[in-house]
Amino acid sequence: MTELAILLPLVGFVALAALTVIVLRRAGSIVAKTREAEGFRLAIRDLAVRVETSLDGATGRIDAVRRGQVPADSIGPTVEAATEAVARYADEARAISGPERVVEIRDDIVAELERAGRALEMVEHGATILAQVRRRGRELEAQTALKRGYLNLLHAREAVARHAARVEDLKVSVEPGGRNAVVTVREPRSDHTM
């Protein structure tokens, strides 16, 4: 009887300790995934702000050349600086690690930054032709290249902002069965209610 009186509390203590360990491990998994998701969110948010700032200045200057407000040969340093910044941002974005299920956001941003780089090349091509133009046919080609590059740069800039906004919808949840914590992107909420 005395052995049973000692054994029952001991078994209860071991069961409680095991349950505590299981709960703490699951909570640790959720905390780690939350920390990873928040780090990813902050890195993408910071990158998007810097991309917006850099490309905003470049698009304003390109638009001024496109409209004939400033000479085409004055845009070289702006395009060069923007091209270097976009390449640097793309490399930085590739280095951002995050939850496996949401790295597509990072990949989409990298694709848009590469698109911005190509747009800047087109702008540079158009500005070079425009600065050297002697014939009317080449002027049309230059204006077309400038406009296409400008519009592609605007669209890439907007797409980076749109993809970066998706990180605000990151959510850490526990899989059915409660084994692992996972990070997902919440489905967009519908504003339509029936």
Side-chain angles (χ1 to χ4, degrees):
M1 202 47 126
T2 50
E3 292 175 4
L4 187 58
I6 294 173
L7 190 59
L8 280 177
L10 188 58
V11 169
F13 176 75
V14 169
L16 184 61
L19 183 61
T20 303
V21 167
I22 291 170
V23 168
L24 289 177
R25 290 183 87 193
R26 288 184 183 164
S29 173
I30 291 171
V31 168
K33 290 294 184 179
T34 302
R35 187 176 302 129
E36 181 182 28
E38 190 59 28
F40 183 75
R41 181 182 291 126
L42 291 174
I44 293 292
R45 196 183 296 152
D46 176 59
L47 178 66
V49 167
R50 289 183 287 125
V51 167
E52 174 65 27
T53 302
S54 294
L55 294 185
D56 184 46
T59 54
R61 186 84 174 147
I62 292 166
D63 192 38
V65 169
R66 199 173 65 81
R67 294 177 185 276
Q69 297 167 341
V70 295
D73 57 357
S74 70
I75 199 167
T78 300
V79 171
E80 185 178 323
T83 301
E84 288 173 7
V86 164
R88 196 172 54 250
Y89 295 148
D91 290 341
E92 185 179 330
R94 285 184 195 96
I96 296 173
S97 63
E100 183 180 322
R101 295 187 180 196
V102 296
V103 292
E104 70 184 32
I105 294 171
R106 177 204 60 207
D107 296 341
D108 291 342
I109 289 173
V110 169
E112 293 304 332
L113 289 168
E114 290 170 349
R115 176 183 177 185
R118 291 188 302 272
L120 288 164
E121 289 173 4
M122 190 175 294
V123 166
E124 183 177 31
H125 173 72
T128 301
I129 292 172
L130 195 59
Q132 301 169 351
V133 70
R134 298 272 190 266
R135 298 177 303 190
R136 181 75 181 144
R138 294 289 287 177
E139 184 178 351
L140 183 60
E141 177 186 351
Q143 288 294 338
T144 301
L146 273 173
K147 185 173 183 177
R148 281 187 173 177
Y150 170 75
L151 291 175
N152 278 329
L153 192 58
L154 280 179
H155 293 154
R157 186 176 118 197
E158 291 168 358
V160 166
R162 190 174 53 252
H163 293 307
R166 291 171 48 204
V167 299
E168 301 307 321
D169 293 330
L170 293 183
K171 174 183 150 191
V172 177
S173 60
V174 178
E175 287 182 342
R179 294 235 180 245
N180 295 316
V182 295
V183 178
T184 58
V185 178
R186 286 185 214 133
E187 291 299 318
R189 287 182 280 159
S190 176
D191 292 337
H192 306 294
T193 54
M194 301 230 167

